[in-house]
Amino acid sequence: MSKPTLAVHKFSSCDGCQLALLNMGEALADLAQHVEIKHFVEAGLVNEDAKVDIALVEGSVVTAKDQQRIRRVRSNSRYLISMGACATSGGIQALKNLADNPADWIGQIYPQPEFIDSLDRSSAIKQYVEVDFELWGCPVSSLQVSEAVATLLNGAEPLDNQEKLCIECKRAGKICTLVTGGEPCLGPVTRAGCGALCPAFGRACYGCYGGAELSNQSGLRKRLEGLGLPPESIQKRMHLIHPDPQQQNER
């Protein structure tokens, strides 16, 4: 029997999630024993239009060409998994979504912005095509990727763990950056999975793993106000992991 096939596609991103896959080492070699990797540019395999069982997609949609390409990836894939903060929420490039006129931002960076092919928004993959599963993170956890792929290969649906980061912090015995440190931490409304990396170094969580279930957003907003953050700053912090539900789907 032939092996299930897999492709890794890059859109607008820093390549960090693909590097997380390459850094899996032996785990990646083990994965290659169970699937045939058709397309993975970082690993030297190029066949962008290959039809595959599983497509892993890194990066956000920011150009008209991206819009066409992601639809082609979707049509060539049985399962599509978006991985990383860029693919799941728009990433750092989605900062332009907050601008009244995104074109002004481009003009501040490029001397000839008229030659830049860029949409007004940086959008998550799910805004354009159906996504079977999302893996958040910046970068994504290589362990979560391998578990999700292995689960699919065994004919089951991957587990969407929306437990709060605060639980992960407590299990690891980390000092609370919000209560003890007085830092504007988003841990109470962010899902676990990163290993509480930022709080482990005394830094506030900024929510790259996406929103957790049953989050008390209003309570956290009041706490952040108590730390001196203005409402506009709090809204910006919440925006990407808890986007406006009225945002129009662009599919």
Side-chain angles (χ1 to χ4, degrees), residues 2-7 31-39 52:
S2 60
K3 295 180 182 179
T5 51
L6 181 142
L31 178 64
Q33 296 292 320
H34 297 89
V35 300
E36 180 184 357
I37 302 176
K38 291 283 192 177
H39 175 74
V52 296

Side-chain angles (χ1 to χ4, degrees), residues 96-227:
K96 71 176 181 179
N97 299 355
L98 306 176
D100 294 330
N101 186 0
D104 291 342
W105 286 36
I106 297 175
Q108 293 176 29
I109 299 171
Y110 300 99
Q112 294 178 299
E114 63 272 16
F115 294 112
I116 303 301
D117 175 20
S118 179
L119 302 172
D120 287 342
R121 299 183 60 83
S122 171
S123 301
I125 300 302
K126 65 183 176 184
Q127 294 298 118
Y128 293 93
V129 297
E130 181 180 357
V131 171
D132 297 295
F133 194 69
E134 289 185 317
L135 289 169
W136 290 70
C138 186
V140 71
S141 163
S142 55
L143 176 61
Q144 286 181 305
V145 174
S146 59
E147 287 181 346
V149 172
T151 302
L152 284 174
L153 293 179
N154 283 287
E157 292 292 329
L159 175 65
D160 186 14
N161 180 14
Q162 294 194 40
E163 186 178 67
K164 295 178 180 64
L165 177 66
C166 291
I167 303 299
E168 199 165 35
C169 265
K170 291 181 183 300
R171 286 178 182 150
K174 308 300 181 186
I175 296 175
C176 181
T177 57
L178 180 63
V179 176
T180 304
E183 296 289 331
C185 185
L186 295 184
V189 297
T190 302
R191 72 179 70 192
C194 65
L197 182 61
C198 290
F201 289 92
R203 297 186 61 181
C205 167
Y206 58 92
C208 74
Y209 263 69
E213 61 183 356
L214 303 176
S215 297
N216 184 3
Q217 294 185 47
S218 61
L220 181 59
R221 288 175 187 273
K222 290 179 181 179
R223 175 59 178 155
L224 296 182
E225 287 177 0
L227 293 177

Side-chain angles (χ1 to χ4, degrees), residues 10 14-15 18-19 22 40-45:
K10 169 190 162 57
C14 70
D15 288 21
Q18 293 182 81
L19 290 176
L22 291 176
F40 189 179
V41 175
E42 288 280 357
L45 301 170

Side-chain angles (χ1 to χ4, degrees), residues 228-250:
L229 269 68
E232 310 82 55
S233 178
I234 296 172
Q235 178 59 28
K236 287 181 179 180
R237 289 171 184 267
M238 295 280 196
H239 180 72
L240 291 183
I241 63 168
H242 292 285
D244 184 351
Q246 300 301 318
Q247 183 179 8
Q248 183 178 3
N249 193 309
E250 301 177 40

